[in-house]
Amino acid sequence: MTFDLFDALPPDPDDPPRSEVLAPGAMVLRGFAREAGAELLAAVSEVSAGSPFRHLITPGGLRMSVAMTNCGERGWVSDRTGYRYDAVDPETERPWPAMPQLFRTLAEDAAAAAGYAGFAPDACLINRYLPGTRLSLHQDRDELDLRAPIVSVSLGLPAVFLWGGLRRADRPTRVRLAHGDVVVWGGPSRLVFHGIAPLAEGDHALTGRERINLTFRKTR
Ligand code: MD3
Ligand code: FE
C-alpha cells in the first residue's frame, strides 16, 4: 500500500482539461467548452430565434427524432429528395443565421489543439435532444473535403456516443459525452459510423431536459 500525498488531493480546478486520443485522428478534449457553456447556449437561442429547430424528414420519409437548425454560410438539410448543404433555410426561405464569432473561435481553437491548425468551418449543424431522442448509426459524408475534421461540442445533459467502425456492422463502443466536452474527428476517424443512444432523463443546470450538440464542418 502506498500513500502518495498528491493522490489524496482533490483535483485542481485550474488544471488544464484532459485530452485523450479515442482512435487515430479522433481526440476528445474534456471540458474544453465548459467555461463558455452559458454563452454558447445564449448564442444557440439567438440562432434558433432566426432559424427555428425542426424535425427533418429523411429521404425514406421518417421524421428524425433529433431537432436541428444551422448557422453559418451553409446548413445541412434533409427531405424526401435527399441530404444536402444549402445556403438557404428551406423553412424561412432566408440565409441561415451567421455563425457567432464565439462558435468560430472555439471550433478553430479545438481543431488546433487536436492538431488540425487552420480549420475554417463554413457550417455549424445544431442538434437538440430531449430524453428519449436518439441518432441512429450513420456516416457524415456530405462534405466535399473529407480531409477537414468535424468538431463537435456537447452541452447540457450527458449522452452516450456510439462509436462504430468503418463498416456499418462493426459493433460500436460507448463513450460518455458530458457538458463542455469537445471531440475532433478527422483523419482515419472521419468516416466512422457513429450515433447517439437514447438520451436518459435528467435535469441540467443550464439546459434543463435538453442536450445540445454543435458540429462544425467545412462543407466545400
Ligand atoms: C465522427 N451528431 O450531427 S457528435 C451529427 O451528438 C452527429 O449530435 C452527434 O453525429 C450528436 O452528424 C454526434 C460527434 C460526431 C459528429 C460527427 C462525426 C462524431 C463524428 C463525423 C465523423 C465521425
Ligand atoms: Fe454524424
Side-chain angles (χ1 to χ4, degrees), residues 103-154:
F103 279 26
R104 191 179 301 280
T105 305
L106 179 77
E108 288 172 3
D109 290 352
Y116 297 94
F119 178 56
D122 61 357
C124 175
L125 170 62
I126 307 175
N127 295 327
R128 187 186 66 192
Y129 298 76
L130 290 170
T133 301
R134 61 196 293 277
L135 185 62
S136 53
L137 280 187
H138 66 278
Q139 287 174 302
D140 289 24
R141 52 189 312 162
D142 299 327
E143 302 76 23
L144 281 182
D145 180 2
L146 294 174
R147 292 166 310 178
I150 290 184
V151 172
S152 88
V153 179
S154 292

Side-chain angles (χ1 to χ4, degrees), residues 50-52 54-57 68-70 74-79 81-82 84-97:
S51 276
R54 81 291 306 262
H55 295 272
L56 294 169
I57 305 298
M68 295 178 167
T69 185
N70 292 274
R74 309 216 290 155
W76 187 85
V77 289
S78 171
D79 59 23
T81 70
R84 65 186 182 278
Y85 282 99
D86 204 318
V88 169
D89 176 352
E91 205 70 28
T92 63
E93 301 181 332
R94 295 180 17 91
W96 299 98

Side-chain angles (χ1 to χ4, degrees), residues 7 26 32 44 52 54 59 62 65 78 81 84 89 97 102 107 117 154 167 173 175 178 186 200 204 213:
D7 282 343
F32 193 89
V44 168
R54 81 291 306 262
L62 299 173
S65 119
S78 171
T81 70
R84 65 186 182 278
D89 176 352
L102 174 65
S154 292
R167 289 164 305 181
T173 47
V175 181
H204 189 274
N213 180 262

